[in-house]
């Protein structure tokens, strides 16, 4: 089945530094990748949608200059949290959609990244 | 504006019995619904989905029912097993936006199976 690999699984960084999270589709091509954020005991909130080769579409209230998304290839999308602050500490999850639009596979999720900013 | 709601934050069920998780939605454009299972510090795992042209879809122990007129769907797990203990999210999408399609998640229900 479709597999999405997300790295790192956890990261601790100092306030003011930047952190990059990678999301790779291992056995299929993903024209679209999604980035979510989950606070404790809350739902998954969509942050942005990235299409390969074009600029990401950010949801309302998400700072595009703070959360930089790059989708340079059909198998890789990255989320960079720039100048991280403690309030950015959260669980970030990526999801990839297959080219053929097979919907159950199109929403395959990575294992998530726990970001802690100290 | 929570377009997908799971009104029960938690549910406890005896092992072997049926678990019923409920989900309501408000956006009539939604036409595809999915259920995900999630463990702490992990990404969601796809369980089962249903298109709006159906009212039932079954896969092993999991059955999803859709009532379009009531804008309600439910996930039935029978028999419930201890390994089913997790947080369950329902999600919805709209094919009208295919190409810009995205999932809207519910708030989740924590299911605990009691041995």
């Amino acid at each position: 089945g479709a597999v999405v690999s997300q790295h790192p699984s956890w990261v601790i960084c100092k306030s003011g530094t930047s952190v990059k999270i990678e999301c790779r589709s291992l056995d299929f091509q993903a024209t679209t990748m999604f980035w979510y954020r989950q606070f404790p005991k809350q739902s998954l909130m969509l942050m942005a949608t990235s299409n390969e080769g074009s600029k990401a579409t950010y949801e309302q209230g998400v700072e595009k200059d703070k959360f930089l998304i790059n989708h340079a290839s059909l198998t890789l999308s990255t989320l960079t949290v720039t100048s991280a602050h403690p309030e950015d500490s959260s669980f970030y999850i990526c999801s990839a959609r297959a080219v053929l639009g097979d919907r159950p596979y199109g929403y395959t999720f990575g294992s998530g990244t726990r970001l802690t900013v100290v | 504006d929570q377009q997908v709601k799971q009104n029960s934050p938690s549910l406890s069920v005896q092992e072997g019995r049926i678990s019923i998780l409920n989900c309501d939605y408000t956006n009539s454009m939604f036409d595809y619904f999915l259920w995900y299972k999630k463990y702490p510090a992990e990404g969601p795992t796809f369980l089962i989905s249903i298109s709006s042209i159906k009212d039932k879809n079954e896969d092993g122990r999991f059955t999803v029912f859709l009532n379009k007129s009531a804008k309600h769907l439910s996930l039935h797990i029978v028999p419930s097993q201890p390994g089913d203990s997790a947080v369950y999210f329902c999600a919805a999408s709209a094919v009208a936006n295919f190409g810009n399609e995205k999932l809207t998640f519910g708030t989740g229900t924590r299911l605990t199976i009691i041995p």
Side-chain angles (χ1 to χ4, degrees), chain B residues 30-50:
Chain B
F30 288 146
D31 66 342
Y32 195 73
F33 305 89
L34 308 91
W35 282 94
Y36 286 86
K37 177 180 180 180
K38 187 181 183 298
Y39 295 113
E42 292 186 15
T45 302
F46 169 75
L47 282 176
I48 192 168
S49 63
I50 188 168

Side-chain angles (χ1 to χ4, degrees), chain A residues 50-102:
Chain A
S50 74
N51 291 296
E52 185 263 339
S54 62
K55 290 184 179 181
T57 302
Y58 290 82
E59 295 299 300
Q60 194 171 11
V62 178
E63 300 175 59
K64 61 177 70 176
D65 294 329
K66 180 165 191 59
F67 299 100
L68 300 178
I69 292 172
N70 184 284
H71 193 161
S73 76
L74 286 171
T75 59
L76 174 64
S77 177
T78 60
L79 167 67
T80 301
V81 183
T82 62
S83 187
H85 291 284
E87 57 264 31
D88 298 324
S89 298
S90 189
F91 191 62
Y92 294 86
I93 310 171
C94 69
S95 172
R97 184 169 74 194
V99 169
L100 296 180
D102 186 348

Side-chain angles (χ1 to χ4, degrees), chain A residues 32 34 36 38 41-44 46 49 51 59 91 93 97 100-101 103-104 107-112 114, chain B residues 2 31-32 34 36 38 41-44 46 49 89 93-95 98-103 105-107 110:
Chain A
T32 305
F34 306 86
Y36 295 84
Q38 185 186 26
K41 298 184 180 180
Q42 293 190 26
S43 185
L44 283 73
L46 181 65
T49 303
N51 291 296
E59 295 299 300
F91 191 62
I93 310 171
R97 184 169 74 194
L100 296 180
R103 294 169 99 167
Y107 296 113
T108 303
F109 286 81
S111 54
R114 168 72 60 194
Chain B
Q2 190 68 37
D31 66 342
Y32 195 73
L34 308 91
Y36 286 86
K38 187 181 183 298
E42 292 186 15
F46 169 75
S49 63
F89 289 96
S93 68
V95 73
F98 195 73
N100 291 315
E101 193 175 359
K102 60 186 181 183
L103 290 181
F105 280 86
T107 47
R110 180 176 300 280

Side-chain angles (χ1 to χ4, degrees), chain B residues 35-97:
Chain B
W35 282 94
Y36 286 86
K37 177 180 180 180
K38 187 181 183 298
Y39 295 113
E42 292 186 15
T45 302
F46 169 75
L47 282 176
I48 192 168
S49 63
I50 188 168
S51 165
S52 61
I53 61 174
K54 294 184 175 181
D55 54 19
K56 177 183 175 181
N57 189 25
E58 190 173 353
D59 184 1
R61 296 186 299 116
F62 302 94
T63 303
V64 55
F65 295 91
L66 175 62
N67 182 333
K68 282 180 58 182
S69 60
K71 293 190 176 66
H72 176 85
L73 65 154
S74 61
L75 173 68
H76 292 210
I77 306 173
V78 57
S80 300
Q81 300 173 354
D84 296 329
S85 295
V87 177
Y88 289 78
F89 289 96
C90 68
S93 68
V95 73
N97 293 326

